[in-house]
Amino acid sequence: MFRDKHFTAIVLAAGKGSRMKSDIPKQYMLINDKEVIYYSLKAFQDSDVDDIILVTREEDIEYCRKDIVEKYHINKVKEIIAGGTERYWSVKNGLDAAVGTDYVLIHDGARPCLDNDMITRLMEDVLVSGACSLGVPAKDTIKVVDDEDYGIDTPDRQYLWQVQTPQAFIYEDLIHAYQEMEKENNINVTDDTMIIERYLGRKSKMVFGSYSNIKITTPEDIFIAKIFLDKT
């Protein structure tokens, strides 16, 4: 199915993770004696993705090369590059390094519980939809609040999904969307589906991921991720 199309995974690991209350960036914290970022890289290594671009802080490039990529033999990593000041500029740097690919999968390296089934479902869907994201239906009631934290609206839960990564796109479409975004002064986006929607006027398809596909954000998430990883 994927033989005549080239897929590149862009794995983002340039954040500082201030909410972890740790001097160690969350992507390098350990779960079962391996760095959080290892698990995302290993998932793509074992998938049908053709190559990987790892985006990290400039000062961490050699550490990632020697102590993660080479140590764990993640040979699909073709480049390790420096990220930008914001997440979207880190993605743009990754896109610039992925010239020539057909499709890109953008993934937050702080989601270690990604597995091959999730990656395959996303790759299959992007061939049809052109833009898609893993996610799961919201379990909880969601409130819209005002500036004083008073609830002012309750959206219908059946239409609400929690967005995850990876998110997959036709490479040329995402590059075009970024070129349009760069024309603006005040950029306010939190993921790449927003960029496609806002600057290309395109919808993105939600593909069921997993409730285990959590993002490491706060200290307790390390323990929760360990539970999920121990079950695999």
Side-chain angles (χ1 to χ4, degrees), residues 53-58 61 79-83 90 93-95 97:
I53 294 169
L54 176 58
V55 186
T56 187
R57 301 185 303 178
E58 187 167 5
I61 288 177
E79 285 194 57
I80 305 173
I81 63 172
S90 291
N93 290 353
L95 291 173

Side-chain angles (χ1 to χ4, degrees), residues 98-222:
V99 172
T101 196
D102 296 305
Y103 295 90
V104 287
L105 281 72
I106 314 297
H107 184 59
D108 293 322
R111 291 186 186 270
C113 300
L114 181 67
D115 64 29
N116 190 57
D117 287 343
M118 287 184 253
I119 295 171
T120 300
R121 288 199 297 273
L122 200 68
M123 292 174 67
E124 290 173 344
D125 196 279
V126 75
L127 292 174
V128 178
S129 67
C132 55
S133 174
L134 290 184
V136 289
K139 292 182 177 181
D140 299 321
T141 296
I142 305 297
K143 280 285 186 182
V144 178
V145 300
D146 61 18
D147 292 337
E148 297 180 340
D149 295 333
Y150 284 95
I152 58 175
D153 191 21
T154 308
D156 190 338
R157 191 170 62 190
Q158 71 171 313
Y159 299 113
L160 299 178
W161 281 56
Q162 297 169 234
V163 180
Q164 302 177 341
T165 66
Q167 298 177 340
F169 307 92
I170 297 171
Y171 175 79
E172 292 297 337
D173 285 353
L174 193 56
I175 278 285
H176 182 204
Y178 266 83
Q179 291 169 345
E180 293 299 312
M181 184 185 75
E182 287 180 289
K183 297 175 183 178
E184 291 197 356
N185 293 320
N186 297 315
I187 299 171
N188 181 24
V189 294
T190 56
D191 78 344
D192 293 287
T193 60
M194 289 179 66
I195 293 173
I196 287 286
E197 291 160 3
R198 184 172 299 176
Y199 299 101
L200 294 189
R202 291 266 309 276
K203 294 180 180 179
S204 58
K205 179 75 177 297
M206 295 304 300
V207 178
F208 188 82
S210 171
Y211 287 101
S212 68
N213 187 24
I214 66 169
K215 185 177 181 180
I216 304 294
T217 305
T218 56
E220 59 270 18
D221 293 331
I222 288 285

